[in-house]
Amino acid sequence: MTKILTEEGFALNNDKTKIIRSGNQQAVTGMVVNGEDAPRVPRKVKRMLRAAIHNLQNGQGLRAGESYQTLIGYAAWIAMAEPELGHYYLNQIDELRNQQHEATL
């Protein structure tokens, strides 16, 4: 690889080069790209969102730094890669926001 780069007039910046073996999670712009499947949101993000929704459903508040807009953003990100799951989360968040709004009236 280095030989081709130098022949074409480029220089390899080792500080920006990272080789990821097949057993490790490979991510590009935050999306996991391992395997034959389409790029997807990392499992950690999905679990965090599911836990936040679960906590809200059980009467707990949002964690520090979280807002409904943050949760909606994560759900929309998931919906881009996995529409069914993302829309399910968006619907749950919308229901929770409506319940909170009704409770404050």
Side-chain angles (χ1 to χ4, degrees):
M1 181 171 76
T2 307
K3 181 181 176 187
I4 296 171
L5 287 172
T6 54
E7 286 175 359
E8 296 296 325
F10 296 101
L12 183 65
N13 185 340
N14 289 324
D15 293 338
K16 294 184 178 182
T17 304
K18 184 175 180 181
I19 297 174
I20 303 173
R21 306 284 181 224
S22 63
N24 295 333
Q25 185 183 73
Q26 299 171 3
V28 176
T29 64
M31 301 287 279
V32 177
V33 295
N34 284 50
E36 301 296 321
D37 298 332
R40 56 207 174 277
V41 176
R43 185 180 301 133
K44 184 178 180 179
V45 173
K46 294 179 203 175
R47 287 181 177 170
M48 179 277 307
L49 180 59
R50 188 175 64 223
I53 291 170
H54 174 79
N55 290 340
L56 288 170
Q57 289 171 336
N58 289 317
Q60 297 177 9
L62 293 166
R63 292 179 14 202
E66 276 185 345
S67 68
Y68 279 103
Q69 294 303 317
T70 305
L71 300 182
I72 290 169
Y74 280 123
W77 185 33
I78 293 169
M80 288 190 310
E82 300 175 50
E84 188 174 316
L85 180 62
H87 291 294
Y88 173 75
Y89 287 149
L90 285 168
N91 290 336
Q92 285 189 319
I93 295 167
D94 192 43
E95 288 176 17
L96 289 166
R97 284 180 67 186
N98 289 337
Q99 288 173 3
Q100 181 194 27
H101 180 69
E102 289 172 5
T104 58
L105 294 179

